[in-house]
Amino acid sequence: MTATARSADRPTDRPDADADGIGVAGPGGGVSAGVGRTALLVAAARAIETHRPDSLARDPLAEHFVRAAPVSADWPVRPDQVPGGTADPLWGRLGRYFGLRTRVLDDHLLASARAGARQVVLLGAGLDSRAYRLPWPPGAAVHELDTAGVLEFKRQVLDRHGAAPTADRRPLAVDLREDWERALLSNGFSPGLPTAWLAEGLLLYLPAEAERRLIATVDRLSAPGSTLAYEIKEIAETAAVRRNPVYTAARERLGIDLIALFDTRPRPDSAGELARRGWRVRVRGPYEFTALHGRGPRPEPDDALAVNRWVFATATGHRPARAGGS
């Protein structure tokens, strides 16, 4: 199937549409509340970043998602619409963080593709348009895993704007808290080929057992040379950090209580587990990349971003004799 034809497909197990062509949950139903609404937050941040004169990443489709959902239709999508500009804790600071994260993870995925990975799996793909905006090599397949509601909303917006993917896009509706391995294998995924895996902003919301299962599944399905990138919070945040304006602004202005959505129970050491399974692992902080690119968020007192870590792992093919949890 061609990339263009694939883009018109409905995601597997999508909800039925009503007579107006809108998903049963209504316009933006899959992204109107809970973790789904955070996808709109990130999309708005990417839209704003796209129009910055010193943009770190460009996503020209992002603003269309924001405008299509009633809950976010009046959110800013350009820098001149942000009250307070770069000093604004929500769109100036957290938004710039999302812009930086997008750039770093884009670079990681494209480096994996240049190294030979022709399968990309976006775990919790949200409203990102990497399958449309990145210059994938010929033959690349991008599997987008998310809930049926998010993928159906995304499909409607992309179809409405005539978006054409730059890879073979394969949306797949799953619950990442449950077993999704068989669904992925049925979606054309080949575990014998190197894969670039990405869990951007996902593990923060998953129960610990779901995270353990996800890491074991990725390991089991990864050929040598496969890569995985994901985001975590390294340690629990203090009460002072939880009162940071980034969190209060998201809650009071957008109705997104990030702290309530985070799963704050003790987290597994997934980086350590990957290393025990024979992966080469690097753990980086976002401010390292602020320094690298010369722009992005910088440390502040009671910093809501200070314990965020981006983990990059590569499957070496040198597996230990026994790895628990597989």
Side-chain angles (χ1 to χ4, degrees):
M1 182 175 289
T2 66
T4 301
R6 172 74 70 173
S7 73
D9 285 355
R10 273 45 169 181
T12 304
D13 298 330
R14 78 174 185 90
D16 291 333
D18 64 18
D20 296 323
I22 300 297
V24 291
V31 293
S32 62
V35 175
R37 192 183 291 194
T38 67
L40 290 169
L41 166 62
V42 178
R46 285 184 173 131
I48 293 168
E49 186 67 33
T50 296
H51 296 288
R52 292 186 191 276
D54 60 345
S55 174
L56 283 157
R58 290 183 51 78
D59 187 346
L61 293 170
E63 64 185 270
H64 299 311
F65 296 120
V66 179
R67 291 290 178 253
V71 71
S72 60
D74 61 350
W75 292 1
V77 292
R78 294 174 183 264
D80 59 8
Q81 297 170 356
V82 177
T86 57
D88 181 72
L90 182 57
W91 304 118
R93 180 168 175 77
L94 183 59
R96 201 85 221 251
Y97 171 80
F98 289 139
L100 179 66
R101 187 180 74 180
T102 299
R103 169 64 178 273
V104 171
L105 297 179
D106 283 356
D107 288 348
H108 172 79
L109 290 175
L110 291 176
S112 297
R114 287 193 297 271
R118 292 296 181 269
Q119 295 182 129
V120 179
V121 180
L122 306 180
L123 299 164
L127 300 178
D128 178 79
S129 61
R130 287 187 171 96
Y132 294 80
R133 63 181 177 80
L134 293 184
W136 299 109
V142 178
H143 298 261
E144 294 189 3
L145 278 60
D146 214 310
T147 65
V150 169
L151 289 175
E152 174 60 9
F153 170 73
K154 188 173 188 177
R155 181 198 66 79
Q156 293 176 33
V157 174
L158 292 170
D159 285 357
R160 187 177 306 146
H161 291 278
T166 56
D168 180 4
R169 177 176 178 255
R170 302 179 183 183
L172 179 64
V174 295
D175 184 342
L176 289 165
R177 296 169 299 181
E178 307 297 339
D179 175 24
W180 44 268
E181 178 177 348
R182 285 173 293 179
L184 180 61
L185 291 170
S186 298
N187 204 44
F189 176 85
S190 175
L193 299 176
T195 302
W197 303 85
L198 176 61
E200 181 180 22
L202 171 67
L203 301 188
L204 304 173
Y205 306 106
L206 288 185
E209 184 53 37
E211 179 176 337
R212 293 188 187 96
R213 188 164 49 246
L214 182 147
I215 293 297
T217 301
V218 167
D219 175 62
R220 188 164 51 248
L221 295 179
S222 291
S226 296
T227 63
L228 168 65
Y230 63 91
E231 178 185 31
I232 58 169
K233 284 187 176 292
E234 192 170 46
I235 59 174
E237 295 172 320
T238 66
V241 171
R242 293 196 295 270
R243 293 191 296 269
N244 184 280
V246 161
Y247 289 138
T248 57
R251 183 176 62 251
E252 295 170 2
R253 290 160 53 183
L254 306 183
I256 299 176
D257 191 339
L258 290 167
I259 294 172
L261 292 172
F262 293 156
D263 192 309
T264 57
R265 290 170 290 185
R267 309 304 304 170
D269 177 14
S270 292
E273 178 63 20
L274 285 166
R276 288 188 288 273
R277 290 172 177 267
W279 291 62
R280 185 172 62 251
V281 180
R282 294 176 300 135
V283 181
R284 309 285 296 275
Y287 298 130
E288 296 178 53
F289 294 98
T290 293
L292 175 66
H293 293 289
R295 55 202 189 279
R298 300 185 183 278
E300 66 177 13
D302 300 324
D303 194 346
L305 307 177
V307 301
N308 289 28
R309 294 293 181 268
W310 299 336
V311 181
F312 303 90
T314 302
T316 65
H318 302 296
R319 295 178 181 271
R322 181 178 182 181
S326 58

